């Protein structure tokens, strides 16, 4: 029996060795399968990550585009408001300039009228007032005092200076 037990033990040992070899092959197959599954999972994960990244990027681009569109619309509205306000300010300035030109013209006319009133001598004497003293031409400074070649004496056919001044004051207004 010992031989037979040894033979059985050898058979069992050979079967166990065969089972271990078979288990090793199965483990190798499982390892290859696991590596394939891992590689495929990584590829799928990369594909999913790319798809998710693309979707997120597309969604963010759409959101940004929508936001930019809303901002562009708002900027266009603000620009229109600013242009309208600028037009109003320009119109107001033009109106203010016209008003200032009118005021300046009115002041110029008033100054001119005041100058005329101050410079002008009244032709009409108030009732009961003494006549103004007659000025003689020899009392006035000659008009051509600064001119070297101007004649100094009056021409012989000229009226005497006192008579010309008296004639000017004696005439009624409007007959000059």
């Amino acid at each position: 029996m010992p031989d037979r037990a040894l033979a059985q033990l050898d058979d069992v040992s050979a079967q166990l060795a065969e089972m271990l070899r078979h288990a090793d092959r199965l483990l190798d197959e499982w390892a290859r399968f696991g590596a394939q599954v891992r590689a495929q999972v990584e590829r799928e994960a990369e594909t999913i990550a790319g798809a998710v990244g693309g979707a997120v990027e597309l969604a963010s681009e759409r959101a940004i585009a929508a936001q930019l569109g809303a901002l562009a619309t708002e900027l266009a509205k603000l620009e229109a408001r600013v242009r309208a306000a600028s037009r109003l300010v320009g119109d107001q300035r033009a109106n203010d300039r016209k008003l200032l030109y009118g005021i300046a013209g009115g002041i110029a006319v008033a100054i001119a009228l005041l100058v005329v009133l101050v410079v002008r001598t009244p032709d009409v004497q108030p009732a009961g007032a003494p006549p103004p003293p007659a000025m003689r031409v020899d009392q006035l400074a000659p008009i051509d005092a600064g001119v070297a070649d101007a004649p100094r004496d009056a021409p012989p056919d000229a009226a005497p200076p006192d008579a010309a001044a008296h004639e000017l004051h004696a005439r009624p207004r409007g007959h000059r």
Side-chain angles (χ1 to χ4, degrees), residues 67-85 87:
Q67 197 97 24
L68 286 177
L71 287 174
T73 304
E74 193 65 29
L75 282 175
K77 288 178 185 177
L78 288 174
E79 184 179 5
R81 287 180 189 165
V82 166
R83 283 185 182 166
R87 254 190 316 269

Side-chain angles (χ1 to χ4, degrees), residues 23-135:
D24 282 340
R25 279 191 304 248
L26 284 175
L27 284 174
D28 287 341
E29 257 183 59
W30 272 102
R32 280 192 303 265
F33 179 72
Q36 287 175 350
V37 167
R38 185 178 308 125
Q40 185 162 350
V41 165
E42 287 176 1
R43 281 192 306 268
E44 293 296 325
E46 286 177 12
T47 304
I48 290 171
V52 168
V56 167
E57 186 176 323
L58 183 61
S60 65
E61 285 176 3
R62 285 181 184 162
I64 290 171
Q67 197 97 24
L68 286 177
L71 287 174
T73 304
E74 193 65 29
L75 282 175
K77 288 178 185 177
L78 288 174
E79 184 179 5
R81 287 180 189 165
V82 166
R83 283 185 182 166
S86 176
R87 254 190 316 269
L88 288 175
V89 167
D91 292 345
Q92 185 64 38
R93 282 184 181 170
N95 290 339
D96 289 348
R97 274 191 215 109
K98 288 177 186 175
L99 181 66
L100 286 175
Y101 289 149
I103 290 171
I107 290 173
V109 167
I111 290 173
L113 290 174
L114 284 173
V115 166
V116 167
L117 286 175
V118 169
V119 172
R120 190 186 94 160
T121 56
D123 287 340
V124 179
Q125 295 288 331
M135 291 188 90

Side-chain angles (χ1 to χ4, degrees), residues 137-145:
V137 175
D138 62 344
Q139 290 175 339
L140 299 174
I143 295 174
D144 57 353

